[in-house]
Amino acid sequence: LLRAVSHDLRTPLTSMIGASSSYLENEDSLPAASKRELVGQIYEDANWLLHMVENLLSVTRITEGGSNVLKKTPEAMEEVLFDAISTARKRYPDLKIQVRIPDDFLIAPMDPLLIKQVILNLLENSFYHAHSGRPMECRLSCDEQVIRVHVRDFGGGIPPEKLAHIFDAEPSAPTSAADTRKGMGIGLSICKAIVTAHGGEIEARNCEEGAEFCFTLPKEEQQHESDD
């Protein structure tokens, strides 16, 4: 975990230092467009660091208290999903998502802030690593026992050697220039920790085009049966 954290924090910090140094050293000669590009890069990396700190606080909270620290309330899965998508679109204006939800009103006991964070992490991961011009898909499905949240992209998929350990908190060698800036790091491992604490499961698989991440949450009825 410490190795992954060091990797994920060092990369954007190095980028921010480089961009700010270029601005300060060349302020008088840089055109306005270049200045704006450098400031935009710093802003993007600062937001990335803020999200990383949110992830670290969440994993610390769960590690110390387990499922006992979850503030579960019955929540509409659709509302949590759209809240996460709205936040993602504000952070990443170029993000394109197609959403599909069933007609049924899906309720699950959850800590909504943490489940929102899981969805944000999955959307962010696909945004940075898919390298596809097609919009990603985000949809809900369910059966009698669980609600499922699916996040699919249409990129190059997940390298087979990474698939089995993709939720482990370890940095991995980048597969492209974009991956060098934004490694998968601990974001996916935090998704697993949050979902597991809720009694759900999370998995990743390659599709004919791209990859899909899916996690489950027990339905409210199922949760009540287990309590009885």
Side-chain angles (χ1 to χ4, degrees):
L1 177 61
L2 289 174
R3 186 166 65 251
V5 170
S6 299
H7 178 274
D8 274 8
L9 295 183
R10 181 178 59 188
T11 302
L13 282 172
T14 301
S15 175
M16 291 170 70
I17 291 170
S20 57
S21 176
S22 295
Y23 190 106
L24 292 172
E25 292 175 4
N26 305 284
E27 182 177 1
D28 294 334
S29 59
L30 282 173
S34 297
K35 290 180 180 179
R36 185 172 181 83
E37 181 179 351
L38 288 171
V39 173
Q41 182 177 324
I42 294 171
Y43 177 79
E44 179 184 341
D45 285 321
N47 272 319
W48 172 268
L49 287 173
L50 176 61
H51 191 197
M52 182 58 58
V53 170
E54 292 171 350
N55 277 331
L56 291 173
L57 291 173
S58 294
V59 76
T60 302
R61 175 180 160 196
I62 292 173
T63 301
E64 291 179 348
S67 60
N68 294 329
V69 303
L70 299 181
K71 299 177 181 178
K72 285 187 179 181
T73 54
E75 300 287 342
M77 191 69 247
E78 176 184 341
E79 293 180 3
V80 178
L81 176 65
F82 278 111
D83 187 20
I85 291 174
S86 175
T87 299
R89 283 173 170 160
K90 289 177 183 177
R91 290 182 178 179
Y92 312 106
D94 294 333
L95 181 67
K96 298 177 181 178
I97 309 174
Q98 292 183 341
V99 184
R100 287 190 291 158
I101 57 174
D103 294 332
D104 296 336
F105 199 60
L106 305 179
I107 302 289
M110 69 179 81
D111 186 321
L113 292 179
L114 291 180
I115 295 302
K116 175 184 176 180
Q117 189 169 347
V118 170
I119 299 171
L120 274 173
N121 283 0
L122 295 179
L123 293 174
E124 186 176 71
N125 180 75
S126 293
F127 177 69
Y128 278 114
H129 298 285
H131 315 304
S132 172
R134 291 180 59 181
M136 67 179 71
E137 289 184 356
C138 194
R139 64 185 178 91
L140 300 179
S141 64
C142 68
D143 58 28
E144 293 182 356
Q145 296 181 331
V146 299
I147 296 172
R148 295 183 180 87
V149 181
H150 307 257
V151 175
R152 183 184 172 182
D153 62 63
F154 296 89
I158 303 167
E161 67 273 12
K162 294 182 179 181
L163 193 57
H165 306 287
I166 197 166
F167 295 106
D168 296 342
E170 293 187 7
S172 55
T175 56
S176 71
D179 288 343
T180 302
R181 253 188 106 197
K182 300 288 188 295
M184 289 184 186
I186 66 170
L188 293 178
S189 67
I190 289 171
C191 290
K192 182 176 180 179
I194 293 173
V195 171
T196 300
H198 279 78
E201 297 179 352
I202 188 168
E203 63 178 357
R205 66 183 183 91
N206 281 319
C207 306
E208 186 174 342
E209 276 188 276
E212 181 179 75
F213 290 84
C214 175
F215 71 90
T216 66
L217 291 176
K219 277 188 171 180
E220 188 173 11
E221 295 81 359
Q222 184 72 12
Q223 182 72 18
H224 285 177
E225 289 174 8
S226 62
D227 289 345
D228 293 340

